[in-house]
Amino acid sequence: MMLVCRVFTLGLVLSFAAPALAITEQATQSATEFYQAYRKAFAKAQKIEDILPMMAASQRAKMEKTPAEERTMMFGMLKEMTAAQGEVKVLKETATKTGAELTLETKSEKGTATIIKEGGAWKLDKESWTNK
């Protein structure tokens, strides 16, 4: 009986500790690390809804207002463009009042990503690319 109580107590403690550890990990994550995780998640995503939690609230709201058929088409085009970019290098991370601005580069393009903090978590607000 004592062992059952200890196991239950340990389980209860871990159920409260695990979310705290996840928050701590995100708090120590840089904007660059977040962006790299976002790119990996985007590569694996099957639909736009898979990455919505990583997007800023304003961008997420725009996506959610878009009709489902258009979202699917837009996501397909974004997947093609992202795949064509190949490896993305983060050249510079500059702190801003709301988060960070990343300077990005691929073989043929240069870009920027605006990463903001919302509720203590990094979110992608904007990403733009131009040819070199």
Side-chain angles (χ1 to χ4, degrees), residues 32-106:
T32 296
E33 291 166 334
F34 164 80
Y35 181 74
Q36 291 165 337
Y38 166 81
R39 295 285 297 197
K40 287 179 185 174
F42 188 88
K44 292 177 184 176
Q46 299 297 310
K47 56 191 181 309
I48 193 73
E49 290 78 9
D50 295 340
I51 59 162
L52 286 180
M54 300 180 90
M55 297 172 74
S58 60
Q59 298 303 321
R60 184 179 181 148
K62 288 177 190 175
M63 276 296 170
E64 290 172 339
K65 286 181 183 176
T66 305
E69 313 81 51
E70 288 181 38
R71 265 193 308 229
T72 301
M73 183 183 69
M74 288 171 34
F75 181 69
M77 291 184 339
L78 285 171
K79 287 288 272 190
E80 287 177 21
M81 290 188 305
T82 301
Q85 285 179 323
E87 181 186 353
V88 175
K89 294 179 186 175
V90 177
L91 302 178
K92 183 177 167 186
E93 180 177 323
T94 306
T96 66
K97 290 180 182 179
T98 57
E101 186 83 18
L102 304 180
T103 303
L104 311 169
E105 181 180 70
T106 69

Side-chain angles (χ1 to χ4, degrees), residues 17-38:
L21 292 173
I23 290 168
T24 302
E25 180 181 329
Q26 181 142 31
T28 61
Q29 183 183 46
S30 70
T32 296
E33 291 166 334
F34 164 80
Y35 181 74
Q36 291 165 337
Y38 166 81

Side-chain angles (χ1 to χ4, degrees), residues 2-19 21:
M2 186 71 134
L3 180 59
V4 171
C5 272
R6 286 185 182 177
V7 170
F8 176 75
T9 302
L10 179 60
L12 190 59
V13 168
L14 289 176
S15 70
F16 287 109
L21 292 173

